[in-house]
């Protein structure tokens, strides 16, 4: 008896899940959200108690030890960020995890320290458990909260109330406005401390050596210039055509024309070469570098800031790609190039 043909229900075909209808953001709704958040932030600014804020800021300024910050969840992220801001401004600060603190990390606290506790509700269990332990270490405790009459404020030595109208979240639950005002409050206080301590641009730069700001305030020309064997040098009596390898092999786009004592006479660029070739034709084979070089090039000293070198390169009437570096005896000691400055992150 022959086998029966398989029914259509026995065949298994791969199938893709049903497509979900595409959701679109209503631009008006989005704009209204931003306006609502602005209203909530303005409520904070209008109602913030300046006397509390001043006392808080002055207390941090007078701290003889380290200013520690703590918090749980989103408030913890804010606390950590504010601490990092203070560190970058040369203020001794750190983040203390409330959970890890109860398992040994509280050992870092001393009687000279301040512990700032961020909590929207002021009823966070982890922070409330931390309070008596921190007090036993002799540290000053400050709570920063947004709900009046909370347990954390009552337990600490000082409280700052951050006025909160409501969360932007339609359920008034997701901490998106409360964390925003915590961040605004903390970072503004940080700048107040920066100004009170008279932090200079140079001191700020020392704490940001890898960033563009730091490099622009720290790096000098001597730190980024080429020197010695890297310099494309020649004598003014050298024939142009004999110096083509030197012109093209050092990656500077120029020749630095010097005398026997390394005094700079002038510069000859690859642009000068093209212009000379166009004007002189075969006559270029008899011309010396000294005859065609620029005897009044822009120069710079080794102790000038690297950012000043870049400004000098870009100055009118036309930008240049390099600057010879000259010492106080007009001797050539290096060359700084635009490519080198960009490579250094300036």
């Amino acid at each position: 008896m022959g086998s029966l043909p398989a029914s259509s229900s026995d065949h298994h075909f791969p199938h893709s899940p049903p497509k979900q209808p595409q959701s679109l953001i209503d631009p008006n709704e989005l704009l209204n959200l931003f306006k609502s958040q602005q209203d909530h932030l303005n409520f904070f600014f209008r109602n913030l108690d300046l006397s509390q804020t001043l006392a808080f800021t002055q207390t941090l300024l007078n701290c003889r030890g380290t200013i520690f910050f703590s918090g749980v969840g989103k408030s913890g992220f804010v606390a950590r960020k504010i601490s990092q801001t203070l560190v970058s401004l040369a203020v001794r600060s750190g983040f203390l995890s409330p959970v890890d603190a109860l398992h040994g990390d509280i050992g870092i606290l001393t009687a000279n320290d301040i512990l700032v506790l961020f909590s929207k509700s002021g009823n966070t269990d982890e922070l409330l458990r931390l309070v008596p332990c921190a007090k036993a270490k002799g540290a000053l405790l400050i709570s920063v909260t947004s709900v009046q009459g909370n347990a954390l404020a009552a337990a600490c030595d000082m409280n700052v109330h951050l006025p909160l109208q409501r969360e932007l979240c339609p359920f008034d639950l997701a901490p998106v406005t409360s964390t925003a005002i915590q961040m605004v409050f903390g970072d503004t206080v940080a700048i107040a401390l920066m100004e009170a301590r008279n932090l200079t641009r140079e001191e700020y730069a020392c704490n940001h050596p890898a960033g563009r700001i730091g490099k622009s305030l720290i790096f000098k020309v001597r730190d980024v210039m080429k020197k010695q064997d890297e310099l494309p040098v020649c004598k003014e009596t050298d024939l142009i055509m004999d110096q083509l390898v030197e012109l093209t092999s050092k990656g500077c786009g120029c020749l630095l024309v010097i005398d026997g004592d390394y005094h700079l006479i002038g510069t000859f660029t690859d642009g000068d070469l093209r212009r000379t070739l166009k004007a002189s034709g075969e006559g270029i084979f008899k011309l010396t570098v000294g005859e065609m070089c620029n005897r009044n090039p822009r120069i710079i000293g080794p102790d000038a800031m690297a950012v000043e070198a870049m400004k000098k390169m870009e100055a009118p009437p036309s930008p240049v790609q390099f600057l010879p570096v000259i010492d106080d005896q007009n001797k050539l000691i290096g060359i700084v190039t635009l490519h080198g400055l960009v490579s250094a992150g300036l």
Side-chain angles (χ1 to χ4, degrees), residues 134-149:
K135 280 191 171 182
K137 299 287 291 185
L140 179 72
L141 271 61
I142 305 176
S143 60
V144 181
T145 59
S146 288
V147 174
Q148 296 280 16

Side-chain angles (χ1 to χ4, degrees), residues 124-136:
T124 308
D125 288 340
E126 294 88 342
L127 296 182
L128 290 172
R129 288 199 297 268
L130 176 59
V131 166
C133 306
K135 280 191 171 182

Side-chain angles (χ1 to χ4, degrees), residues 262 264 299-302 324-334:
Y262 247 72
L264 182 70
I299 58 173
I300 199 164
V325 184
I326 307 300
D327 66 12
D328 51 9
Q329 272 91 43
N330 194 40
K331 286 189 176 181
L332 179 71
I333 59 173

